[in-house]
Amino acid sequence: MSEFRLPDMTRARLRGKYQAPIVRDALNITPSQKELGAGLFYHVITYGCQANVRDGEVISGILEEMSYRHTDLLEEADIIILNTCAIRDNAEKRVMGEIGFLQNYKRMKPSLIIGLCGCMAQEEAVVNSVLSKYKTVDLIFGTHNLFEIPQMIEQIITKNQKAVRVYSHQGSIYEGLPSVRSLNHKASVNIMDGCDKFCTYCIVPYTRGQQRSRLMGDVLAEVQGLKDAGYKEVMLLGQNVNAYGKDIPDNGDFATLLNEVAKTGIERIRFTTSHPWDFTDGMIEAIAANENIMPFVHLPLQSGNNEILKRMGRRYTIDEYFAIFDKLKAAVKDIAISTDIIVGFPGETDEQFADTLKAVEYCKYDNAYSFIFSPRPGTPAARMEDDITMEVKKARLLQLNERLGYYSKLNNQKWVNRTVRVLVDGPSKNRPEIFSGYTPQQKLVNFEIKGASVGDIIDVKITQARKNSLNGIQIVGENDE
Ligand code: 5AD
Ligand code: SF4
């Protein structure tokens, strides 16, 4: 077995100031590795957040450099990679179930390579249990080890050895890795990786390493390249985009980056995720001033109670949160705001949960993701005393979701009879005569189409509001029909 080092959770928390090395032309691939996948097929299954989806595109790019071709069919695949998420326990359970299921394919085709990567691969307990329970897994690599895929696959094929490479170091920035983008009109652009916030419930700072921002010039060159290739929308991605640039000198902060990306003239710019901490006035001004920065912000609340926020390590009070929320609403016309909320944090009382409901009444979110707290091994919150039963937590989640659903429908109703600009994504799976796309506010619209194709930005009149989407009809100018 090759190099096998696992993350050290205790040491991770002690890390100090760090400027990550930039590795350019990061894929070091030999001529023989380039041929290894000739005539063979790959399939990547991605779970979790948009950072993982972007990693999945890079993994596909590397496999295609090795001459593998994509297949949608598991039975046709010669290599199947599970690109995993560790944010909550249920995400991990699904992956473990999937590995069990894939063993059947390996029985039918013993040469099949089964790989596990992503955030779960950064967890010591998970790697140990996969190695001992599932002999069929040949390949495990961490979030810092993508560039080593060719060497690892070569080792499996030519030496018939398992390959396990998981670094727990702070991380580097890899430029120039190939990727296969999943869409031709919308693209994600990583602006940073890792997180230094260490919210007490969250495993991300351990699995993705220390915050590392890409140089502004590299981000801008990527956006410009996408625009030149006909892309209409970019999503600037990071665990906490507001902190962009803080780890590199003479680069500029996130507000500067937003203004610079806007200058490329690409039609739609989005970004996620924004921590309320570090949300500057400069960012709000940039969103308000640039028409191509979409009026939509995901602003995770997590809890509406100051004591819980403190124990979560969030570093803002509910009043500070409301202040940012109010400024955004005042500065950006028709802005939509979404959020994340955790219920049942250890020891959360009925009164503390009621504060979360009050915050929801105040913010009346356009959209929200709500979760029951899931203890993640190694994080401080997993060690906190918790006397709240699962029944109580489930009841709180139901009550919260009822309010969240009420407000998302109420917000959607405001759009009925208005005409909105929609970036067309394509026909719906079940009803090909109905197309869907998103408004600037990131509202999903299903509409009858008169004439448009994927990537067009068209006018749609909203006819009906639902909880999670809008219905509409395409408006076509007199001369267009
Ligand atoms: N339990 C429940 N929810 C969590 N999240 C992060 N960690 C946990 C956890 N341990 C939620 C937060 C975060 C979103 C991506 O996932 O709300 O914003
Ligand atoms: Fe996790 Fe907090 Fe970092 Fe978000 S900001 S990834 S919740 S530690």
Side-chain angles (χ1 to χ4, degrees), residues 290-301:
N290 293 288
E291 261 187 16
N292 53 352
I293 301 184
M294 294 297 101
F296 173 80
V297 172
H298 183 63
L299 195 67
L301 169 76

Side-chain angles (χ1 to χ4, degrees), residues 87 194-206 238-240 273-275 277 300 302 312-314 340 342:
I87 198 108
C195 180
D196 290 342
K197 292 285 185 265
F198 288 103
C199 301
T200 56
Y201 51 79
C202 187
I203 194 135
V204 169
Y206 311 94
Q239 299 300 336
N240 174 23
T273 296
S274 284
H275 194 300
W277 184 25
Q302 312 299 4
M312 286 178 163
R314 293 292 288 177
D340 290 339
I342 297 176

Side-chain angles (χ1 to χ4, degrees), residues 387-444:
D387 53 359
I388 314 296
T389 65
M390 191 44 90
E391 280 67 35
V392 169
K393 294 183 183 193
K394 284 187 178 159
R396 286 181 189 165
L397 187 68
L398 267 178
Q399 200 184 349
L400 174 66
N401 285 346
E402 189 281 320
R403 296 321 290 156
L404 293 171
Y406 172 80
Y407 285 116
S408 57
K409 179 142 192 206
L410 199 69
N411 280 305
N412 283 350
Q413 276 163 349
K414 290 185 200 148
W415 292 93
V416 174
N417 289 328
R418 286 174 73 177
T419 298
V420 292
R421 300 285 285 162
V422 173
L423 172 57
V424 179
D425 278 341
S428 94
K429 270 197 196 114
N430 305 327
R431 296 175 59 195
E433 73 284 7
I434 304 289
F435 271 53
S436 68
Y438 285 86
T439 70
Q441 286 76 10
Q442 188 74 332
K443 296 203 179 274
L444 175 63

Side-chain angles (χ1 to χ4, degrees), residues 2 33 138-142 145-157 161-165:
S2 73
Q33 288 164 356
D138 314 278
L139 169 68
I140 300 183
F141 56 95
N145 304 77
L146 269 51
F147 70 101
E148 294 177 295
I149 292 173
Q151 290 96 301
M152 288 187 275
I153 293 183
E154 183 174 53
Q155 175 181 332
I156 297 167
I157 294 181
Q161 277 178 348
K162 277 185 197 258
V164 181
R165 292 207 195 159

